[in-house]
Amino acid sequence: MVKLTIDGKEVQADEGKSLLEVCTDNGIFIPSLCFLKEMTNPPASCRLCFVEVEGLPKPVPSCRQSPAEGMVVRTDTELVRRLQRSALQLLLSAHHVDCRNCHANKRCALQNIAKFLGVGLKPKRLEPLAMEFPQEREHPNFIYDPYKCVLCGRCIFVCRKRTGYGVLTFARRGIDTVVSWFGADGPDSPPCDRCGECVNACPVGALKSKETVQAPMEAAGA
Amino acid sequence: MKAGPSNSDAIKERFETLKRDALQRFGEIKGAEVPRITIGMATCGIAAGAVETKAAFEKAIAQHNIDARVEATGCIGHCYAEPLVVIENPGFPPICYNNVTPGKARALVSSFLVDGDPLFEYVLGALEENDMIPSVRDFPRFSMEERIVTALSGRIDPEKIENYIAEGGYEALAKALALTPQEIVQEVQISGLRGRGGAGFATGRKWEFGLKAQGESKTVICNADEGDPGAYMDRTILESNPHQLLEGMAICAYAVGAEKGIVYVRAEYPLAVKMIRIAIEQAEAKGVLGSGILGTDFSFSVSVFQGSGAFVCGEETALIQSIEGKRGMPQHRPPFPALQGLWGLPTIINNVKTLSTIPAIIKKGGEWHKQMGSPKSPGSAIFSVVGKVVHPGLVEIPTGTTLRTLVFDICGGTPHRKAFKAVQIGGPSGGCLPEAFLDTPVDFDSLIEAGAMMGSGGMVVMDENSCMVDVARYFLDFTQKESCGKCTFCRIGTRQLLNILERITKGEGREGDIELLTTLCEEIKEGSLCGLGKTAPNPVLTSLKYFRDEYEAHIKEKRCPAGMCRALTAFYIDLDRCARGCDACVGSCPVEAIFTTRDRKKAIDQTKCVKCGECVAACPPQYTAVKRVSPPHLAPRIERPQEPQE
């Protein structure tokens, strides 16, 4: 255990945990999309969980920072908030903001973070990016909406952890990056056991379970 | 036998045997009293037609029934002169010929080899001082360079290890094996060598981390995943002198205690892949690579890994992911690869140029390297200078040389008497520097201070006809397409930047765009995960800083000062200059926008014109009647006559 100061409050922490977890455990909210507790090497890809650590020149993603004895951490500096707001605005500019018709409405991480940071869901500063990819309905277990996906990679992580190999993966580059799966282009159905963990891991409404739609049809087929 | 100082004599003796053999074999070739024709056959030479030239030489020699050898070599760096041929005809100094077409090749064989007339009109220069033919050393393009890494490029046959050994190759490895690893690391530290991949991290320090790192095995990776638009230094080095790189890698491996080496080279470089594979095979056969190098207990095997051509895989953590069979996405650092790299084990990743400099440092000493160039980033810098210069190509200069010397003295300045506008250094991660920065010395710190960066060595020279907004748009388009899509700032941020720039170049710029670009750029720099995102805004930031007036002209006046943005320019034909009856331009127009006016001159139908500029090129130089204007409404409107005129 180490002792450190977060936002002026002295806390005790397990060195094995990330700073992000330590903050959350102590009731300090850190915006984040891509982090899961089980991750040994969090991807640090959503760029939301920044904090400032005294002695480090720049804000660091708290998911990749281990707590250390005597560390002084600030989670709410102007620079941190500026980066967080900017990242969120960017994410929202590439997100199909249609909360009323979204199945994730009211339990969506983007809504939470936007509320916390005081950012409108349709930021005026950036133009919304029109996305060309339609919903992907071929997967037996879920419907995937790339225009809602924040590419946090949580579904990929949980799937890989459960199955031991990569059924889900990222595909394409740049703004066209999507989550895809092996067999997406071919006639074979993906080696998926329909555990549904990917859908549960999605922090937004990009993955929607097909179960309710699929079940009666399967029953008829069998 | 153990490697190290205790067995230095045995290692030396072993190497001397190798060298004697090589010299003997090579001496037989050199000593033979037959003419020797050497053709630059790297990718650049082949693209310029070296294969056809070589075939023409061989055919002509057979036809004339003379005894002569035709050999291939790598690239000498003079791209403007390819195909480049050196003819060593007994009784003459070695003579270098530029742009040798098959026709010139046949003429050279019949006139020079048969009749003894060296055809002065085709000569670029002699490679040695003599009374007969001006030497190439008289040209600044040759004399102002200082070659360490490319010293043997274009002078040896990359497919023959004897050739490299005869020129002093693998001597540094023999010397290194007689030292302790600590001594080598110290020598590299003294040399002040900084990583030539772009970031400029001190190589000696990296090696020290590698040496001290704990792990069951260590790996040395050579990063040859060169991907900047317009940069080809690594490719040329691999194609022209692969053994030098292998020697550098072996020295690095001995210094840090690695047994495995990987050359990560992109599959788009098939010739480089072939050359490095041949080199590995030959080096293993000679015992300078593989198990028990030069009779010692030190073993080092090198394999080639072909990358699939993702720019981001040049980032070291993404490169490691790629070798591990995963999608090439950068990882958060720390941990740094030197401690926890490939398969979680210590891994030293160095650029081709860095590793290729090592043999010279070991041979001549760290102090020698430290003395060269500017004090804070000593050594040489290799640039591929392309764009609007008279003599484009690969240039190796001491660091600290000014941009002016590089662009104007060595590469001959901008052609066609056009004004120099900017130089883009460091590819998509670098920046554009204007004329006022021409006296900036080329080294890591000075360039970063100016807002650009050394990068891996791509340099694009631009003249007055380049639009800086369009250049920034071009580079952002590149980084956006090459972004791995992992982190928010790079994936979406660069797309937002690109959208704004595209709008501006289309004349749809708005008040506030410049401010939005600036703040977005700063946030992307701060927030991105890896070097790609952190440096992606540089082309925008530097062009905004040094060419703000161009952005303002685009946004406020809807005018492109360089006349390059299609939506903001128009072409028209100056009727005072147009020649009656000439219709050179008519055939060049792909959309039939050019029509004949009542007085039998030509005019452009603005509603049809696609602004391709073909008519500008087609108009005979004595008229130069086609003009380009911006904004487009400045072009005079000429009505198309109702009925065609005869």
Side-chain angles (χ1 to χ4, degrees):
Chain A
M1 294 297 261
V2 287
K3 257 191 224 159
L4 66 158
T5 318
I6 304 175
D7 292 341
K9 203 169 91 180
E10 200 160 281
V11 298
Q12 290 240 330
D14 176 359
E15 296 126 292
K17 285 186 172 179
S18 70
L19 205 48
L20 175 58
E21 272 179 280
V22 175
C23 289
T24 318
D25 292 350
N26 284 284
I28 298 165
F29 180 70
I30 306 280
S32 142
L33 289 170
C34 61
F35 177 77
L36 286 173
K37 275 183 183 165
E38 304 90 285
M39 292 173 168
T40 38
N41 284 317
S45 65
C46 70
R47 316 309 284 173
L48 281 165
C49 69
F50 285 114
V51 294
E52 280 200 78
V53 177
E54 225 177 74
L56 294 180
K58 281 183 194 169
V60 288
S62 56
C63 63
R64 288 304 293 255
Q65 190 70 45
S66 310
E69 185 66 42
M71 192 180 243
V72 180
V73 182
R74 304 258 351 148
T75 70
D76 59 350
T77 62
E78 203 179 316
L79 188 52
V80 164
R81 291 290 182 240
R82 193 167 80 104
L83 285 176
Q84 287 173 335
R85 287 196 182 104
S86 179
L88 182 66
Q89 285 175 352
L90 286 168
L91 284 167
L92 286 169
S93 77
H95 182 80
H96 186 203
V97 182
D98 181 25
C99 301
R100 222 179 321 169
N101 298 312
C102 179
H103 70 279
N105 194 13
K106 303 236 164 82
R107 51 184 182 80
C108 169
L110 280 178
Q111 286 177 328
N112 271 343
I113 296 167
K115 197 174 162 198
F116 175 78
L117 292 173
V119 172
L121 286 171
K122 292 193 172 173
K124 290 198 187 69
R125 186 168 83 122
L126 302 171
E127 271 178 46
L129 300 171
M131 302 288 267
E132 281 166 25
F133 302 113
Q135 282 188 355
E136 187 59 76
R137 295 173 168 274
E138 294 300 310
H139 194 279
N141 195 35
F142 55 73
I143 298 168
Y144 171 64
D145 188 346
Y147 200 179
K148 284 192 182 152
C149 182
V150 289
L151 291 163
C152 63
R154 275 158 66 153
C155 51
I156 295 172
F157 173 80
V158 294
C159 182
R160 190 161 296 211
K161 195 167 173 243
R162 186 186 163 87
T163 60
Y165 46 84
V167 178
L168 292 176
T169 178
F170 290 112
R172 305 203 185 100
R173 298 180 192 179
I175 195 77
D176 298 339
T177 312
V178 289
V179 171
S180 188
W181 52 89
F182 288 101
D185 314 323
D188 302 334
S189 54
C192 166
D193 58 6
R194 305 188 188 185
C195 67
E197 279 197 38
C198 52
V199 176
N200 294 337
C202 182
V204 294
L207 290 178
K208 190 175 172 183
S209 177
K210 265 187 179 177
E211 222 149 59
T212 45
V213 198
Q214 202 87 31
M217 279 170 69
E218 266 178 3
Chain B
M1 169 173 85
K2 214 174 140 23
S6 53
N7 285 313
S8 67
D9 291 339
I11 296 167
K12 204 172 166 194
E13 203 185 300
R14 186 94 177 210
F15 174 74
E16 287 304 325
T17 330
L18 261 188
K19 188 163 184 180
R20 252 195 319 277
D21 283 353
L23 276 174
Q24 195 183 0
R25 241 199 94 184
F26 202 59
E28 279 168 19
I29 300 169
K30 273 208 155 166
E33 280 292 301
V34 291
R36 211 163 134 243
I37 299 164
T38 321
I39 305 173
M41 297 280 278
T43 300
C44 43
I46 291 172
V51 173
E52 290 80 5
T53 301
K54 188 167 181 245
F57 268 116
E58 279 161 354
K59 203 172 158 201
I61 287 167
Q63 272 169 357
H64 288 279
N65 202 14
I66 49 174
D67 195 10
R69 302 173 64 98
V70 181
E71 282 171 4
T73 180
C75 169
I76 201 167
H78 293 243
C79 299
Y80 61 95
E82 297 282 4
L84 202 82
V85 173
V86 174
I87 300 184
E88 288 163 71
N89 198 2
F92 291 89
I95 305 173
C96 188
Y97 293 91
N98 59 316
N99 306 99
V100 182
T101 55
K104 280 189 190 175
R106 283 188 289 273
L108 280 168
V109 172
S110 59
S111 305
F112 190 22
L113 298 191
V114 179
D115 299 336
D117 169 13
L119 293 180
F120 286 103
E121 63 270 35
Y122 298 157
V123 169
L124 182 69
L127 292 182
E128 287 166 12
E129 297 287 341
N130 66 90
D131 306 331
M132 201 187 312
I133 293 161
S135 156
V136 288
R137 299 292 298 177
D138 296 345
F139 305 137
R141 186 68 170 75
F142 284 81
S143 63
M144 293 177 88
E145 281 192 61
E146 208 159 315
R147 293 185 164 213
I148 304 175
V149 175
T150 56
L152 293 176
S153 295
R155 291 171 211 276
I156 58 167
D157 186 343
E159 290 186 51
K160 293 198 180 95
I161 190 171
E162 295 86 4
N163 207 328
Y164 179 62
I165 295 177
E167 297 283 352
Y170 288 107
E171 209 174 302
L173 178 62
K175 188 174 168 189
L177 289 179
L179 299 170
T180 63
Q182 287 79 4
E183 283 172 320
I184 299 173
V185 172
Q186 205 183 352
E187 202 65 40
V188 176
Q189 275 179 334
I190 291 171
S191 79
L193 178 67
R194 293 172 69 171
R196 294 294 191 253
F201 189 78
T203 308
R205 266 188 75 198
K206 198 185 252 186
W207 287 21
E208 199 185 357
F209 290 140
L211 175 64
K212 286 184 183 157
Q214 298 294 319
E216 53 188 276
S217 80
K218 298 177 190 175
T219 311
V220 174
I221 296 178
C222 167
N223 183 351
D225 189 65
E226 178 177 56
D228 304 21
Y232 50 88
M233 304 74 53
D234 296 352
R235 187 194 70 208
T236 305
I237 294 167
L238 283 175
E239 286 174 359
S240 307
N241 197 354
H243 284 290
Q244 183 176 247
L245 169 68
L246 291 179
E247 188 179 0
M249 282 179 83
I251 294 169
C252 173
Y254 177 65
V256 301
E259 284 174 0
K260 269 186 310 209
I262 298 172
V263 180
Y264 188 97
V265 55
R266 40 180 54 215
E268 288 108 312
Y269 286 178
L271 189 62
V273 172
K274 182 185 150 198
M275 289 303 177
I276 193 79
R277 285 208 166 128
I278 293 173
I280 292 169
E281 210 173 285
Q282 291 179 342
E284 280 177 357
K286 289 275 177 204
V288 286
L289 214 61
S291 56
I293 292 175
L294 289 172
T296 64
D297 59 349
F298 168 60
S299 298
F300 179 59
S301 62
V302 180
S303 58
V304 176
F305 188 96
Q306 294 189 54
S308 314
F311 179 65
V312 74
C313 287
E315 202 278 345
E316 54 183 15
T317 55
L319 188 149
I320 288 172
Q321 294 275 310
S322 165
I323 295 179
E324 289 179 355
K326 299 180 190 142
R327 182 179 158 96
M329 282 172 140
Q331 303 296 304
H332 181 82
R333 293 184 308 183
F336 286 92
L339 301 175
Q340 219 175 310
L342 186 64
W343 311 114
L345 298 168
T347 307
I348 294 294
I349 304 183
N350 277 139
N351 177 266
V352 177
K353 296 174 288 281
T354 317
L355 288 167
S356 295
T357 315
I358 296 297
I361 291 177
I362 297 300
K363 214 192 281 185
K364 299 181 187 172
E367 273 304 326
W368 160 81
H369 187 262
K370 178 110 192 104
Q371 299 302 322
M372 185 175 176
S374 58
K376 278 193 177 166
S377 26
S380 70
I382 303 176
F383 284 103
S384 58
V385 186
V386 296
K388 303 292 173 60
V389 281
V390 176
H391 295 144
L394 212 68
V395 185
E396 184 167 1
I397 44 161
T399 54
T401 310
T402 63
L403 284 171
R404 191 185 299 280
T405 311
L406 182 55
V407 174
F408 286 90
D409 298 336
I410 300 179
C411 291
T414 47
H416 310 302
R417 292 201 209 123
K418 291 210 169 134
F420 169 89
K421 186 171 196 173
V423 54
Q424 212 281 347
I425 311 167
S429 319
C432 304
L433 299 183
E435 205 177 350
F437 282 81
L438 274 176
D439 291 312
T440 310
V442 175
D443 62 53
F444 287 101
D445 307 305
S446 311
L447 286 178
I448 283 176
E449 210 172 289
M453 74 183 237
M454 191 113 128
S456 58
M459 187 176 277
V460 187
V461 179
M462 287 169 272
D463 68 9
E464 58 193 6
N465 284 13
S466 303
C467 167
M468 301 317 289
V469 186
D470 192 52
V471 168
R473 187 203 57 77
Y474 169 80
F475 281 110
L476 255 292
D477 184 52
F478 179 85
T479 31
Q480 160 60 211
K481 282 185 181 141
E482 292 295 340
S483 161
C484 75
K486 182 174 179 176
C487 87
T488 307
F489 282 100
C490 180
R491 178 180 76 242
I492 310 173
T494 57
R495 181 73 223 186
Q496 288 285 1
L497 286 181
L498 177 61
N499 278 8
I500 300 169
L501 291 168
E502 274 176 351
R503 258 200 359 245
I504 296 176
T505 54
K506 281 186 194 150
E508 294 159 15
R510 294 194 285 256
E511 199 64 33
D513 273 350
I514 292 183
E515 292 70 23
L516 179 55
L517 279 175
T518 317
T519 50
L520 255 184
C521 281
E522 279 162 9
E523 287 157 7
I524 295 169
K525 263 179 110 95
E526 285 284 326
S528 287
L529 171 70
C530 81
L532 182 91
K534 281 184 178 138
T535 56
N538 282 350
V540 185
L541 282 173
T542 49
S543 57
L544 264 174
K545 191 168 165 194
Y546 302 125
F547 300 95
R548 197 187 172 93
D549 51 331
E550 284 198 28
Y551 280 84
E552 282 170 352
H554 279 79
I555 295 170
K556 290 180 185 148
E557 304 164 42
K558 309 293 174 208
R559 177 172 67 89
C560 174
M564 287 315 284
C565 296
R566 283 194 184 187
L568 300 180
T569 50
F571 290 88
Y572 75 96
I573 294 171
D574 184 352
L575 291 176
D576 294 336
R577 296 195 62 102
C578 184
R580 200 164 274 133
C582 163
D583 49 21
C585 54
V586 178
S588 74
C589 179
V591 292
E592 295 180 6
I594 300 177
F595 60 87
T596 308
T597 62
R598 285 206 172 76
D599 51 359
R600 286 171 46 228
K601 291 189 175 182
K602 298 289 175 289
I604 296 173
D605 183 344
Q606 298 297 342
T607 57
K608 279 192 169 178
C609 177
V610 291
K611 301 164 188 180
C612 64
E614 285 295 316
C615 48
V616 181
C619 187
Q622 64 268 40
Y623 308 135
T624 52
V626 186
K627 303 288 176 204
R628 186 201 294 259
V629 283
S630 179
H633 65 77
L634 292 180
R637 299 265 157 185
I638 297 162
E639 287 301 311
R640 195 190 270 262
Q642 288 301 313
E643 280 177 38
Q645 300 284 307
E646 281 307 304

